[in-house]
Amino acid sequence: MPTPRRDGRRPRVTVLRLGHRPGRDPRLTTHVALAARAFGADRMLLTPPDPALADRLSAVAQRWGGGFRVEGVERWSDAVRRFAGGVVHLTMYGEPLDRALPRLRRRPELLVVVGGAKVPAELYRRADYNVAVGAQPHSEVAALAVLLDRLGGLPDGCRFRGAERRIVPQRNGKRVLRTGRGRAP
Ligand code: SAM
């Protein structure tokens, strides 16, 4: 059974990132994970697994809070089959986000799949929803960020539990608070 929504409004989101190439320019996958975490996803599944990237994201969560984690999976199809919730595949060929959104918001639990250069054709059939964020090619980071925001996003100044550091928003300059939690120097 899917776990209930925390706020009764925003589905819990797991991201599945396909097309990652461990050791070869991890920046884009890192940005997918950072955007997923910052805009409220709980975790990211990564195929193929990349323990070094998972460790880097765990260091980010340690410093800036929250429980976001990256987990490796060997086969995307197993992750999709095992997922107890709605499977959303983000693709420029899908139905417009505005049209799908009310149905997505009703699901307590979503697996959001983003690809790389090419995704397996089977994914279009296995997904419950093929969703486009505009019918133009752009980026998995942009598509994911827009979807998460439209699903309810995070309130401005949202605090992540257990953060070692917290940004105090400024109109000019930078201010970072040490919370005394964790092991920040
Ligand atoms: N031909 C691809 C497609 O099906 O969207 C574009 C590949 S793009 C470099 C990599 C990933 O970005 C895609 O697998 C998809 O998850 C996401 N993406 C790109 N443009 C999108 C759009 N307009 N709507 C939703 N997702 C998009």
Side-chain angles (χ1 to χ4, degrees), residues 5-13 39-42 105 107-108 148 151-154:
R5 279 172 284 198
R6 283 162 296 190
D7 56 7
R9 190 172 60 94
R10 188 166 65 78
R12 294 177 69 96
V13 173
F39 294 112
D42 290 336
R105 282 204 175 121
R107 307 290 302 237
L148 289 175
L151 283 173
L154 290 173

Side-chain angles (χ1 to χ4, degrees), residues 112-163:
V112 178
V113 190
V114 296
K118 212 165 188 285
V119 299
E122 194 191 342
L123 178 58
Y124 289 82
R125 292 189 297 275
R126 299 280 291 272
D128 298 304
Y129 316 90
N130 290 290
V131 174
V133 181
Q136 301 292 325
H138 48 82
S139 137
E140 46 272 53
V141 181
L144 178 64
V146 170
L147 172 69
L148 289 175
D149 185 61
R150 299 291 300 281
L151 283 173
L154 290 173
D156 251 5
C158 170
R159 297 187 164 187
F160 282 71
R161 231 174 336 105

Side-chain angles (χ1 to χ4, degrees), residues 88-92 94-106 129-135 138 143 146-152:
V88 184
H89 169 215
L90 286 174
T91 167
M92 64 181 181
E95 66 172 319
L97 175 57
D98 276 349
R99 211 163 68 194
L101 199 56
R103 279 170 284 141
L104 303 187
R105 282 204 175 121
R106 281 198 290 271
Y129 316 90
N130 290 290
V131 174
V133 181
H138 48 82
V146 170
L147 172 69
L148 289 175
D149 185 61
R150 299 291 300 281
L151 283 173

